[in-house]
Amino acid sequence: VAVLRDAAASAMRRGAPESAVAYLKRALDEPPPGDERPALLLDLGVAEVQSRAPAAVEHLREAWQGLAEPRERGRAARLLARTLCFTGQAPEAVEVAQRAQAELPAGHDDLRLALEAIEMVGVIFGGGDPARLGELADYAIPAPDAPVGAKMLASIASLVQTYGGAPAEHCNAMAHAALSGDELMAEDNGLLTISANNVLTFTEDPEEQAAWTRAIEDGQRRGSLFIISGNRMWGGYVAMSRGDLVEAEDLLARAREEFIEYEYGGPAETYCAAFLSDARLYRGDLVGAATALHLGDDIGDGSDGVRYWLVSRLRLLVEQGRDEEALAAAEELVERYPGVNNPIVGQWRTLRAVALDRLGRHDEAVSVAREELELARAFGAPRGIGHALRVIGELEGSVDALREAVETLAGSIGRYDHARALYAHGVAAGDAASLRRAFDLGAACGADGLVADARAALEAAGEKAPVPGTSIDALTAAERRVVALAAEGRDPRDIAQSLFLTPRAVEVELASASRKLGVTSTADLAEALRAA
């Protein structure tokens, strides 16, 4: 048993959790002395968490029931509760976390905070009382040297406060405090790092892309399907937010395959269906969007995954012109999620406004859209502000509002939102330059529907549509990453190692970028980047 446990620990250190599982299962067959069994089961559950959720739940539950030492027992409870969230058993997750907190003796304050953080996660996943999340509204930003439990709770607090519409600057500071020192990454990558990293994206932090890269690299080093799949799914969501729609669709499709392999259940799968539906919708593929949406469902709880799914359903209804159904869907969102007020995580107001306007309720539509603009300004992220301005400009036929939307989004991470605002401004102002820019940027995003609209508008105005891919905006996210490293003087093999690509893939990306920009050397690529 001792030899097998040592072998398992070595396997975990080198990123081979499935080997660790094999060693530990063999150790159980010995069998171990009775007093060693619970600790061995905990080791097994920790290894299984990385590759397959249902087996981990079984062994972590048995370990928790058998362990006596408070810290190890609390650790087992935390891991069990976290895994229950991902198997569609959030109510039990909340119960486990609450019971574990109640039975902890004095002197374990950090573990108590960690268990409270997982309890809050359980509530977000649809277990427990949503009002419990309100307790995090006043959670203070922890110091850099705070224990990891405080940083775990800060991660959830940063997300809850963002959802509630607290100022972006404050939410961003909370997320940075949670991520500081890398203790959170070491202790809970795949869940709590995702919460804080999402806040960096919502607040458009310059470090957000690097934070996601570090998280996925950590998962690859550990060989953890749990970490890789979760970060890949949210990476798809983030790519979509940035306007990298082709990459987003690819990441989300791959994440869904990994979700099936890991055997996720409940709200976790629903997130993936919602995001994939949105990515396809933005690309102009309504049939594909509807198909993706049906990969998930409204399972009737108050989970965050279902909320995203309901927003995606509303978005699809509006795009399909089913306005009465869209209004009903918007009302349902208001009733079921009264605490989510920030439009950056669900633009239901502007979607409702579009439906209202098409039903002849123009004044009401403008009022609802302006309410979203006010909330977006209170949060302060450019992407949310620009989106609301664009919808208001389209509703009112205001060229000034559309011009402001274009200017706001030019400084945002949201290239797709920027392309839509350019198109709307081009149509309203009869501005061929805006339409050409929308065409180019839409092509770079992979927004085929928007590209077709921009081409038609240009041709209707007697203008010749440009050839896609002749500016820096035409580069995909992958091409931009490769070109940026090449401009630093790094060779293809070094770039491949940094980006987890093959050298051949790097060469293909460089050739494509060079062709789009009309350059022939790395030095010219670097100059094109500096000019942009």
Side-chain angles (χ1 to χ4, degrees):
V1 170
V3 169
L4 287 162
R5 289 186 75 181
D6 285 346
S10 176
M12 290 294 285
R13 284 193 296 272
R14 68 174 187 270
E18 292 182 355
S19 294
V21 169
Y23 292 135
L24 293 166
K25 285 183 174 179
R26 180 65 183 80
L28 283 174
D29 290 340
E30 277 300 306
D35 59 347
E36 290 185 27
R37 181 177 171 82
L40 182 58
L41 285 164
L42 177 56
D43 288 349
L44 177 56
V46 168
E48 287 174 325
V49 157
Q50 308 306 322
S51 56
R52 185 169 175 268
V57 166
E58 176 188 346
H59 293 123
L60 288 170
R61 185 183 281 120
E62 189 177 349
W64 178 47
Q65 292 166 349
L67 287 164
E69 196 278 320
R71 186 150 196 88
E72 287 297 280
R73 183 171 167 79
R75 179 176 177 234
R78 181 175 68 80
L79 289 170
L80 171 60
R82 186 184 74 170
T83 310
L84 286 166
C85 289
F86 289 98
T87 55
Q89 302 172 81
E92 184 184 351
V94 171
E95 291 173 7
V96 168
Q98 289 176 337
R99 179 179 162 188
Q101 289 174 72
E103 65 183 22
L104 263 183
H108 293 279
D109 294 342
D110 187 42
L111 180 54
R112 194 183 307 279
L113 289 172
L115 286 163
E116 184 180 355
I118 297 302
E119 178 192 351
M120 294 298 187
V121 169
V123 175
I124 289 172
F125 272 72
D129 182 5
R132 183 93 166 82
L133 297 174
E135 297 175 20
L136 295 179
D138 298 320
Y139 188 74
I141 297 173
D145 60 350
V148 68
K151 291 181 177 180
M152 293 170 113
L153 203 53
S155 173
I156 295 299
S158 71
L159 187 67
V160 169
Q161 291 176 9
T162 296
Y163 279 19
E169 184 177 0
H170 170 81
C171 299
N172 181 272
M174 181 77 76
H176 273 289
L179 294 166
S180 66
D182 284 345
E183 296 98 337
L184 188 65
M185 177 84 75
E187 192 69 27
D188 207 324
N189 191 4
L191 175 58
L192 295 172
T193 50
I194 286 175
S195 301
N197 284 348
N198 267 327
V199 173
L200 297 187
T201 296
F202 294 142
T203 58
E204 303 194 34
D205 189 290
E207 299 178 22
E208 58 98 20
Q209 192 162 352
W212 287 108
T213 299
R214 289 177 60 246
I216 194 79
E217 288 175 353
D218 176 68
Q220 289 165 330
R221 281 192 296 271
R222 298 194 203 190
S224 171
L225 181 61
F226 170 70
I227 295 175
I228 292 169
S229 61
N231 277 287
R232 197 186 307 281
M233 182 193 77
W234 284 103
Y237 175 81
V238 170
M240 181 169 59
S241 300
R242 295 190 194 118
D244 298 320
L245 303 181
V246 177
E247 182 179 7
E249 186 174 2
D250 177 61
L251 288 170
L252 292 164
R254 289 163 63 194
R256 185 168 185 277
E257 293 173 358
E258 292 167 344
F259 274 35
I260 293 170
E261 181 181 351
Y262 189 76
E263 297 186 56
Y264 284 101
E269 292 180 327
T270 309
Y271 279 115
C272 210
F275 299 161
L276 185 57
S277 177
D278 285 347
R280 289 177 176 174
L281 182 66
Y282 296 155
R283 295 204 65 196
D285 179 8
L286 265 65
V287 174
T291 301
L293 192 69
H294 289 304
L295 296 174
D297 198 3
D298 177 6
I299 57 179
D301 63 10
S303 67
D304 192 47
V306 167
R307 183 187 63 80
Y308 273 106
W309 189 89
L310 291 171
V311 173
S312 297
R313 183 186 65 170
L314 170 58
R315 188 172 287 115
L316 185 59
L317 288 171
V318 170
E319 197 66 27
Q320 293 170 332
R322 296 159 62 182
D323 297 320
E324 294 286 0
E325 293 174 74
L327 293 185
E331 289 301 323
E332 183 179 1
L333 273 162
V334 175
E335 293 171 5
R336 290 174 61 174
Y337 297 92
V340 182
N341 294 314
N342 192 339
I344 203 68
V345 296
Q347 297 157 333
W348 64 263
R349 291 175 182 82
T350 42
L351 290 167
R352 180 170 179 251
V354 172
L356 284 167
D357 189 63
R358 289 199 300 231
L359 291 170
R361 297 160 65 178
H362 176 75
D363 291 345
E364 190 178 351
V366 172
S367 176
V368 170
R370 289 199 170 279
E371 181 185 351
E372 181 165 311
L373 176 60
E374 183 178 342
L375 291 168
R377 289 195 191 281
F379 181 61
R383 189 163 63 91
I385 297 169
H387 169 84
L389 282 167
R390 193 256 306 162
V391 174
I392 289 169
E394 289 177 325
L395 291 174
E396 296 186 327
S398 170
V399 173
D400 288 342
L402 291 170
R403 184 182 301 110
E404 186 180 354
V406 169
E407 293 169 353
T408 301
L409 289 164
S412 161
I413 65 171
R415 296 196 308 155
Y416 172 70
D417 295 280
H418 188 200
R420 289 194 68 180
L422 282 163
Y423 170 76
H425 176 264
V427 170
D431 182 1
S434 287
L435 289 172
R436 283 193 292 270
R437 187 97 164 84
F439 182 96
D440 239 6
L441 193 51
C445 291
D448 298 340
L450 179 59
V451 168
D453 289 344
R455 176 186 287 111
L458 282 165
E459 290 174 352
E463 299 279 343
K464 184 178 180 180
V467 177
T470 55
S471 76
I472 198 73
D473 290 328
L475 300 186
T476 67
E479 289 166 350
R480 290 198 304 276
R481 285 194 289 270
V482 168
V483 166
L485 293 177
E488 295 174 4
R490 298 168 69 171
D491 62 41
R493 186 168 296 278
D494 185 27
I495 295 170
Q497 291 176 343
S498 298
L499 299 178
F500 296 95
L501 298 171
T502 64
R504 174 59 182 158
V506 170
E507 291 171 0
V508 169
E509 299 289 4
L510 284 171
S512 176
S514 298
R515 184 175 62 254
K516 288 179 179 180
L517 297 175
V519 299
T520 57
S521 70
T522 301
D524 290 339
L525 278 175
E527 182 57 37
L529 284 180
R530 281 191 292 272

